[in-house]
């Protein structure tokens, strides 16, 4: 069968889904996000904390990749990476990003957009030290997305950083960063089997409060 036919034969948004009452929601999107995230975690959805981070490069081209959500607090939605990676460099040049979550069994998507801030050195270092030794070794190498010429080069690089950590377990990478996206727009999207999807978009006002409005599906 041709790929086009195979794709046409696949189901999407088949449900059944719990209805979402977009008229009875909190004033602040953070609370609703935490409810939806916890629904996904409690529902056993694998990697419920995986999200797509979209940034733009210096030519204005969008770039996107999946990352792990580390926290949500008053500073925003947190993720961690090396500053020397393409995403780190893109954020340094253009500190704005979008995050997208999709929890397929629930038929739910959340989209956020806003400025990105780098958290304090204290937070970055604490995050680094909480990582398993293999992840710390990789982060110390700080070669993410560089061209890899051989497995031997990777193995040797990791082994060298591992020895460094074993010799001094307090070693931290100066280029490891925790970032937070502080959204000024958050959209909640709940699928409906009859395609009457429910959408609610929050937008931040100049005074810091939020307004919300429903969107056509
Ligand atoms: C489920 C999943 C989780 C990931 N988590 C992270 C993460 O937390 N931090 C990170 O730097 N890369 C993570 N990655 C790898 C990124 O998707 C990406 O390959 C890497 O960060 C390089 O991106 P860049 O070249 O745009 O900087 C994850 C990938 C997947 C599939």
């Amino acid at each position: 069968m041709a790929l086009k036919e195979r794709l046409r034969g696949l189901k999407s948004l088949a449900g059944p889904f719990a209805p979402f009452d977009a008229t009875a929601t909190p004033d602040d999107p953070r609370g609703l996000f935490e409810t939806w995230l916890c629904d996904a975690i409690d529902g056993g959805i694998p990697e419920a904390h995986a999200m797509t981070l979209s940034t733009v490069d210096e030519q204005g081209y969008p770039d996107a990749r999946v990352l792990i959500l580390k926290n949500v607090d008053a500073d925003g939605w947190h993720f961690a990476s090396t500053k020397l990676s393409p995403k780190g460099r893109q954020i340094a040049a253009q500190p704005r990003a979008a995050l997208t979550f999709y929890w397929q069994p629930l038929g739910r998507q959340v989209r956020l957009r806003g400025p990105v801030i780098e958290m304090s050195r204290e937070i970055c270092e604490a995050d680094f030290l909480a990582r398993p030794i293999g992840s710390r070794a990789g982060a110390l190498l700080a070669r993410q997305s560089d061209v890899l010429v051989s497995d031997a080069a990777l193995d040797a690089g990791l082994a060298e950083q591992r020895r460094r950590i074993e010799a001094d377990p307090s070693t931290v990478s100066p280029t490891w960063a925790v970032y937070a996206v502080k959204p000024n727009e958050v959209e909640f999207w709940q699928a409906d089997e009859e395609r009457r999807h429910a959408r609610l978009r929050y937008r931040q006002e100049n005074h810091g409060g939020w307004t919300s409005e429903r969107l056509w599906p």
Side-chain angles (χ1 to χ4, degrees):
M1 200 194 295
L3 184 59
K4 192 174 168 189
E5 269 69 54
R6 290 196 71 182
L7 293 175
R8 196 186 291 275
L10 291 180
K11 287 197 168 74
S12 62
L13 307 174
F17 302 119
F20 169 49
D21 184 358
T23 61
T25 47
D27 292 339
D28 187 309
R30 201 171 112 200
L32 184 54
F33 177 83
E34 288 181 17
T35 302
W36 279 28
L37 177 64
C38 290
D39 286 349
I41 296 168
D42 297 341
I45 294 177
E47 301 189 353
H49 56 344
M51 60 188 185
T52 299
L53 165 74
S54 303
T55 49
V56 286
D57 71 12
E58 275 158 26
Q59 282 81 45
Y61 283 100
D63 203 355
R65 75 293 282 159
V66 176
L67 297 191
I68 292 298
L69 175 71
K70 291 277 187 150
N71 193 16
V72 182
D73 64 13
D75 289 316
W77 275 244
H78 297 216
F79 60 91
S81 196
T82 165
K83 290 197 251 187
L84 304 180
S85 64
K87 79 183 90 48
R89 285 184 266 124
Q90 288 164 8
I91 289 166
Q94 180 62 273
R96 295 173 182 162
L99 297 174
T100 314
F101 294 82
Y102 176 45
W103 298 297
Q104 183 272 333
L106 300 175
R108 285 177 173 175
Q109 172 183 243
V110 179
R111 301 164 61 185
L112 306 94
R113 310 167 74 200
V116 185
I117 55 164
E118 190 183 317
M119 302 302 291
S120 67
R121 275 326 297 160
E122 222 180 343
I123 290 177
C124 300
E125 289 179 5
D127 181 80
F128 182 85
L129 290 170
R131 294 165 65 80
I133 186 164
S135 311
R136 271 182 282 156
L140 277 173
L141 269 176
R143 300 285 309 267
Q144 191 177 55
S145 304
D146 284 359
V147 173
L148 177 68
V149 288
S150 73
D151 284 317
L154 174 61
D155 292 341
L158 288 174
E160 187 190 337
Q161 298 308 328
R162 229 174 217 280
R163 281 194 297 274
R164 227 179 119 188
I165 297 168
E166 280 159 3
D168 179 4
S170 67
T171 305
V172 291
S173 160
T175 59
W176 187 253
V178 177
Y179 299 96
V181 178
K182 196 170 173 48
N184 42 37
E185 214 174 284
V186 185
E187 186 204 319
F188 295 85
W189 188 98
Q190 171 66 67
D192 172 72
E193 294 127 87
E194 302 304 326
R195 301 305 192 250
R196 201 188 157 88
H197 311 306
R199 300 177 64 188
L200 183 68
R201 180 179 60 198
Y202 287 85
R203 279 196 290 196
Q204 195 157 38
E205 304 283 1
N206 291 337
H207 54 73
W210 293 89
T211 51
S212 64
E213 54 216 340
R214 295 176 61 197
L215 303 178
W216 282 61

